[in-house]
Amino acid sequence: MVTAVRHLGPHWYAAVMGTAAVATAGAALPVPRVPGLRTGCAAVWALSLLLLLALLAARALHWAHHRDQARAHLLDPAVAPFYGCLSMALLAVGGGALTAGRDWIGDAAALAVDTVLFTAGTATGLAAAVAVPYLMAVRHRADAAQATPVWLLPLVAPMVAAATGPLLVPHLPPGQARRTLLLGCVAMFGLSLLATSLMLPLVFARLITGGPLPLALTPSLFLVLGPLGQSTTAVGAFADAAPGALPAPYGEGFGVLAVLYGVPVMGFALLWLGLAAAHVVRARRHGMGFAMTWWAFTFPVGTCVTGAAALARHTGLFVYDGLAVGLYGLLVAAWAVAAVRTARGLLSGALLAAPRTAPVAPRPVTVRTTSGAVR
């Protein structure tokens, strides 16, 4: 077991995030009661909790017995941004406890789970949002031509905290406690939004000027949907929690913000979804195989589901109901494919093997000319 986790990187938390997203997005769907939906969401949430606990234990073994590899991950510009996934996994499972898991474990236990995971997830997310960009500037020395959507991961983590924190607001005493938590979530929304706004132009410029991403990284284009859908979800959550936490007119003002911010941002998210999908289709035609980056098809799409559901609540438009349902179908299909392929990779040992290194020099090639001579 100790040897098996040597190459277990922080990117594995993406599987937890994607699984939790299926549960939370399903619980948020703005549709009449569908038989079995809530039970299914609760079961998937329970699976995400088990995956989180197993992965936390495996990563603890990794740090305890393979510290050289763990340090190498931190100093690798391609791996370090994935440390933001730890925070988002904690927050996603914690938020899912109150929206989906409470049907199985009860309200009191769900509140306790969310409180612990939200606290831990927020602390690690804020740390990652500072530490990873610092390492990128001081130790990694990454070039602009290397920019990928993976760079967004540590910056999106505080946005996930901002979107899940309002679930805890009604459980706090009225007054200072509720206001502090809600406005703290608004502050995390702002810091994540502005930081993402600085990083996203680098990613887009790299894509336009440098050409398509490498095949294995092409699914990471879906990561851009994360801050878009999550920020739309966040402003909708602010609007839901504000009337009971803030005095007028601020409580009502967040309802206006949810629409004025969410509608254009969701429009851009749909534009990016089309662009990313086109790149993925091209990559598949060029031989893109399965990699753990396929989990990028899950959690970011899940944030768009909850964002569309928030817009459905605050606009009353059926088009957002349909959008949420359609995106949820895409999410479930992507999760099923990624989960099956990941399970196969684990059973075969391929996903836990050491990464293959490229040959230092090209191998000698024997070429036969049209005349039959060999060179």
Side-chain angles (χ1 to χ4, degrees):
M1 177 62 182
V2 172
T3 304
V5 301
R6 176 167 177 75
H7 300 287
L8 185 76
H11 59 284
W12 278 86
Y13 286 111
V16 179
M17 295 161 54
T19 304
V22 173
T24 55
L29 285 177
V31 295
R33 199 169 186 87
V34 177
L37 177 61
R38 289 197 63 86
T39 301
C41 290
V44 175
W45 173 82
L47 175 61
S48 72
L49 177 61
L50 293 176
L51 290 175
L52 175 63
L53 295 175
L55 191 52
L56 287 173
R59 287 286 294 164
L61 287 175
H62 174 83
W63 272 95
H65 297 279
H66 304 288
R67 293 185 182 180
D68 61 324
Q69 190 69 15
R71 293 191 185 97
H73 285 165
L74 280 173
L75 298 178
D76 187 343
V79 179
F82 283 100
Y83 273 88
C85 292
L86 167 59
S87 166
M88 291 186 280
L90 294 169
L91 292 165
V93 175
L98 281 179
T99 58
R102 65 181 182 181
D103 290 350
W104 278 17
I105 64 175
D107 292 342
L111 178 59
V113 170
D114 190 21
T115 300
V116 172
L117 295 183
F118 173 77
T119 302
T122 300
T124 55
L126 292 174
V130 174
V132 175
Y134 175 81
L135 287 174
M136 292 175 69
V138 175
R139 300 296 299 271
H140 296 167
R141 300 290 184 176
D143 187 83
Q146 299 173 307
T148 72
V150 171
W151 288 9
L152 297 171
L153 288 173
L155 305 179
V156 179
M159 186 67 77
V160 180
T164 56
L167 293 172
L168 293 170
V169 169
H171 299 280
L172 294 175
Q176 288 286 327
R178 290 187 181 182
R179 294 179 191 176
T180 299
L181 178 56
L182 181 58
L183 293 183
C185 291
V186 175
M188 288 189 288
F189 165 87
L191 74 88
S192 180
L193 179 65
L194 294 175
T196 301
S197 299
L198 293 174
M199 191 69 76
L200 187 56
L202 294 176
V203 175
F204 189 65
R206 154 66 183 85
L207 191 64
I208 297 300
T209 62
L213 295 176
L215 296 183
L217 280 176
T218 301
S220 70
L221 289 171
F222 274 70
L223 295 177
V224 176
L225 297 175
L228 303 175
Q230 198 65 269
S231 62
T232 304
T233 302
V235 292
F238 299 158
D240 295 336
L246 300 176
Y250 303 108
E252 294 75 13
F254 277 105
V256 176
L257 177 64
V259 176
L260 295 184
Y261 175 88
V263 171
V265 170
M266 185 57 65
F268 180 66
L270 294 177
L271 169 67
W272 192 272
L273 176 61
L275 176 65
H279 274 265
V280 169
V281 170
R282 174 194 172 276
R284 285 291 286 171
R285 289 176 177 172
H286 284 75
M288 181 186 75
F290 174 75
M292 287 298 288
T293 51
W294 281 34
W295 283 100
F297 298 140
T298 58
F299 185 78
V301 175
T303 68
C304 291
V305 175
T306 53
L311 287 174
R313 291 196 308 273
H314 293 286
T315 64
L317 296 178
F318 295 136
V319 65
Y320 288 114
D321 294 349
L323 178 61
V325 172
L327 290 173
Y328 188 68
L330 177 62
L331 167 63
V332 172
W335 177 82
V337 172
V340 170
R341 299 296 292 270
T342 300
R344 289 179 182 174
L346 281 173
L347 291 175
S348 68
L351 291 180
L352 293 177
R356 289 176 292 181
T357 57
V360 176
R363 297 176 180 176
V365 178
T366 301
V367 180
R368 186 177 298 276
T369 66
T370 54
S371 64
V374 176
R375 295 179 180 177

